[in-house]
């Protein structure tokens, strides 16, 4: 079997024994995956790990306009930057992705615009730290978000990705306004990792728990109902029982509806791996105790009886419902009716669970279609909307789209045959 290993691990540790003889591709070379696969199939070992630069400045990574296939034709995922400004002692990603490198605003706006022209109704912005966006290119996150909001059709939604506390503090006023916008989910993922200042210092997180509370309290006051998701690491080296109790108290105080609990694992090559480790059974016990606390409260019970507008974008894991989200990016399960997919639907909440609500469609209400175009079919290639003057959205060029899909693994074929295909 031919193997190509991609991502942070080969980028950070390309000389590991288990990678010998394998083709590997780094975090900034993913747009060259066709070359690597082609060479691997031929039996060659290829290693592409270089950093991309323009005039000496490090670039964000692969081009945003590359053709791709969306996992969900209704959702576009856009990386706004790569790398970060932190140096957390437990993190391996920094070793692989390096310092912050942001995509220019105009490229992000153009990708957003193209996505909506392909029938997308929801945009997710992602990165290692969205709050740090633009610091390397002389701009900032609110400036980008206000530009993107201009491109969002009525009924479509934008979801922000993870941001660390230090880089959101100075933008709280603007972020509250943006999260209150009707086409932006009132949702923010802000990892705290620990509520102990001494642990945060050992982690080199560059903030104290007071900073985190300031972010949460400000947004809760200015954006009523806002959802704050967070992450916590249990059993970081040096964490005492008193430190862990502070973390439990923080969770009791805010009762985060979305909480990602991680048992500390020392990643080879990181400073934290060289620190004195907490015994495994203590880490396991603390993880269990925090998980029990998290499952002891039910954040959605008080919403039973509410009437909500929800955007339907996915199918539930069991295939019994469609999955929608309300303004606060809370999960709402709705009946699996074909006319609801990709639509904004008005529902009455009749049941609540730990991680979801269930909503019944309001009688006589009509689903609203936010998409400005018919969504691509599942498996159809995004980014190939114009071919020598012909729109691949046109029915009479469907054969062109099929040819491009079938031969998308052969760029030479596309370059030499594209004119012939469009003429045919």
């Amino acid at each position: 079997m031919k193997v190509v290993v991609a991502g942070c691990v080969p980028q950070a540790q390309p000389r590991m024994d288990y990678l010998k003889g394998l083709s590997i591709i780094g975090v900034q070379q993913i747009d060259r995956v066709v070359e690597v696969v082609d060479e691997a199939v031929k039996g060659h070992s290829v290693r592409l790990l270089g950093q991309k630069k323009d005039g000496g400045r490090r670039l964000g990574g692969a081009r945003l306009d590359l053709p791709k296939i969306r996992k969900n034709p209704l959702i576009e995922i856009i990386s706004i930057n790569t790398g970060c400004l932190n140096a957390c002692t437990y993190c391996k990603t920094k070793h692989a992705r390096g310092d912050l490198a942001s995509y220019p605003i105009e490229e992000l706006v153009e990708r957003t615009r193209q996505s909506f022209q392909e029938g997308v109704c929801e945009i997710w912005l992602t990165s290692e730290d969205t709050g740090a966006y633009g610091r390397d290119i002389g701009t900032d996150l609110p400036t980008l978000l206000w530009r993107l909001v201009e491109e969002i059709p009525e009924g479509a939604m934008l979801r922000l990705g993870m941001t660390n506390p230090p880089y959101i503090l100075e933008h709280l006023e603007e972020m509250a306004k943006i999260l209150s916008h009707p086409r932006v989910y009132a949702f923010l993922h802000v990892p705290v990792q620990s509520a102990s200042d001494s642990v945060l210092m050992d982690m080199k997180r560059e903030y104290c728990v007071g900073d985190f509370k300031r972010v949460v309290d400000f947004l809760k006051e200015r954006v009523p109902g806002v959802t704050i998701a967070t992450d916590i690491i249990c059993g970081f080296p040096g964490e005492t029982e008193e430190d862990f109790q502070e973390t439990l108290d923080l969770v009791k105080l805010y009762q985060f509806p979305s909480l990602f609990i991680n048992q500390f694992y020392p990643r080879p090559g990181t400073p934290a791996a060289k620190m004195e480790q907490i015994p495994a059974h203590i880490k396991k016990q603390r993880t269990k105790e925090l998980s029990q606390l998290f499952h002891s409260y039910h954040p959605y019970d008080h919403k039973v009886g509410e009437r909500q507008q929800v955007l339907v974008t996915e199918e539930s894991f069991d295939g019994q419902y469609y999955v929608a989200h309300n303004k606060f990016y809370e999960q709402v399960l709705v009946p699996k009716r074909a006319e609801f997919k990709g639509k904004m639907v008005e529902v009455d909440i009749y049941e609540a669970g730990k991680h979801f609500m269930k909503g019944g469609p309001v009688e006589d209400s009509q689903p609203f279609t936010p998409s400005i175009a018919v969504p691509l079919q599942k498996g159809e290639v995004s980014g190939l909307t114009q071919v020598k003057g012909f729109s691949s959205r046109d029915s009479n060029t469907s054969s062109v789209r099929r040819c491009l899909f079938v031969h998308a693994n052969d760029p030479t074929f596309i370059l030499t045959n594209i004119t012939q295909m469009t003429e045919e």
Side-chain angles (χ1 to χ4, degrees):
M1 181 178 292
K2 309 298 183 182
V3 176
V4 176
V5 185
C8 293
V9 171
Q11 181 76 57
Q13 296 178 298
R15 295 180 177 84
M16 297 299 289
D17 288 342
Y18 60 82
L19 293 176
K20 286 183 179 179
L22 299 180
S23 290
I24 61 178
I25 184 167
V27 295
Q28 285 213 315
Q29 302 289 339
I30 196 65
D31 51 344
R32 298 179 65 184
V33 67
V34 172
E35 300 173 49
V36 179
V37 169
D38 191 40
E39 292 301 315
V41 167
K42 294 175 183 176
H44 302 154
S45 177
V46 180
R47 299 195 157 207
L48 295 181
L49 299 168
Q51 299 288 334
K52 293 186 176 182
K53 295 184 178 181
D54 180 17
R57 184 180 69 84
R58 183 170 173 271
L59 298 178
R63 295 198 334 263
L64 292 175
D65 60 352
L66 286 173
K68 67 177 183 180
I69 298 173
R70 294 188 182 94
K71 183 178 180 180
N72 183 338
L74 298 174
I75 299 175
E76 167 70 357
I77 304 173
I78 303 177
S79 175
I80 63 174
N81 55 261
T82 187
C84 71
L85 296 173
N86 290 351
C88 300
T89 56
Y90 57 81
C91 184
K92 194 72 176 174
T93 307
K94 176 76 174 195
H95 289 253
R97 297 189 178 273
D99 291 329
L100 180 70
S102 304
Y103 288 100
I105 287 181
E106 290 306 322
E107 290 184 20
L108 293 165
V109 169
E110 181 55 36
R111 183 63 193 179
T112 299
R113 187 180 296 130
Q114 179 193 21
S115 300
F116 287 124
Q117 290 169 350
E118 293 177 340
V120 161
C121 63
E122 189 170 288
I123 299 281
W124 295 357
L125 300 185
T126 67
S127 80
E128 283 78 55
D129 188 348
T130 57
Y133 171 81
R135 286 173 175 252
D136 58 320
I137 57 174
T139 185
D140 55 40
L141 181 62
T143 301
L144 168 66
L145 295 178
W146 286 125
R147 287 291 307 278
L148 296 182
V149 164
E150 296 174 3
E151 304 296 328
I152 304 174
E154 182 182 356
M157 298 296 289
L158 173 70
R159 192 196 79 174
L160 303 184
M162 186 274 286
T163 177
N164 285 311
Y167 307 114
I168 206 69
L169 275 168
E170 65 189 75
H171 301 310
L172 285 178
E173 287 278 359
E174 284 301 294
M175 290 305 299
K177 295 176 184 176
I178 290 166
L179 293 175
S180 298
H181 194 282
R183 294 192 288 276
V184 179
Y185 285 118
F187 168 90
L188 200 60
H189 180 189
V190 189
V192 65
Q193 305 299 9
S194 173
S196 164
D197 285 343
S198 63
V199 173
L200 291 174
M201 186 176 297
D202 288 341
M203 290 178 173
K204 287 193 175 180
R205 290 290 288 167
E206 299 184 8
Y207 60 87
C208 63
V209 71
D211 294 331
F212 175 81
K213 288 181 175 180
R214 183 182 163 206
V215 171
V216 176
D217 292 342
F218 186 93
L219 293 178
K220 280 182 170 290
E221 178 186 348
R222 299 296 184 89
V223 190
V226 65
T227 295
I228 302 293
T230 196
D231 301 358
I232 289 175
I233 296 174
C234 295
F236 187 82
E239 181 187 63
T240 65
E241 286 297 335
E242 291 75 18
D243 294 329
F244 181 63
Q245 186 59 52
E246 289 183 280
T247 298
L248 292 176
D249 291 342
L250 184 78
V251 175
K252 290 175 185 176
L253 174 63
Y254 290 112
Q255 297 195 356
F256 303 102
S258 183
L259 178 61
F260 301 94
I261 302 170
N262 302 285
Q263 183 174 310
F264 176 75
Y265 171 78
R267 300 184 182 278
T270 61
K274 301 174 184 178
M275 299 177 181
E276 185 175 351
Q277 303 297 307
I278 289 177
H281 72 277
I282 295 179
K283 291 191 291 186
K284 185 176 180 179
Q285 176 57 37
R286 290 177 183 174
T287 303
K288 181 180 178 181
E289 190 174 347
L290 182 58
S291 297
Q292 289 174 339
L293 172 58
F294 173 62
H295 285 95
S296 70
Y297 57 84
H298 297 84
Y300 306 133
D301 285 357
H302 68 286
K303 299 204 171 190
V304 173
E306 286 187 1
R307 180 163 292 185
Q308 301 179 354
Q309 293 281 347
V310 298
L311 180 59
V312 183
T313 55
E314 303 172 72
E315 184 177 300
S316 62
F317 287 118
D318 61 8
Q320 300 300 306
Y321 299 91
Y322 276 151
V323 177
H325 292 91
N326 60 19
K327 163 66 177 170
F328 309 106
Y329 203 68
E330 296 163 337
Q331 185 171 270
V332 180
L333 304 180
V334 301
K336 192 176 175 182
R337 300 182 189 172
E339 66 269 24
F340 288 169
K341 193 73 175 287
K343 308 290 176 56
M344 188 71 77
V345 180
E346 190 174 29
V347 299
D348 288 325
I349 304 300
Y350 64 87
E351 184 180 332
K354 174 62 180 175
H355 303 286
F356 65 89
M357 291 169 274
K358 290 183 180 179
V362 175
E363 191 175 351
D364 297 330
S365 67
Q366 294 296 318
F368 178 78
T369 304
S371 300
I372 61 175
V374 177
L376 300 178
Q377 295 297 309
K378 193 172 182 64
E380 199 166 7
V381 181
S382 161
L384 298 175
T385 54
Q386 295 294 328
V387 179
K388 199 173 176 65
F390 287 81
S391 169
S392 65
R393 307 286 291 162
D394 297 338
S395 59
N396 62 350
T397 56
S398 60
S399 60
V400 175
R401 302 174 83 176
R402 286 196 297 273
C403 288
L404 289 173
F405 176 77
V406 170
H407 297 285
N409 67 330
D410 188 346
T412 305
F413 177 92
I414 294 179
L415 289 173
T416 56
N417 294 276
I418 198 76
T419 304
Q420 180 183 353
M421 284 195 295
T422 54
E423 290 172 351
E424 290 176 353

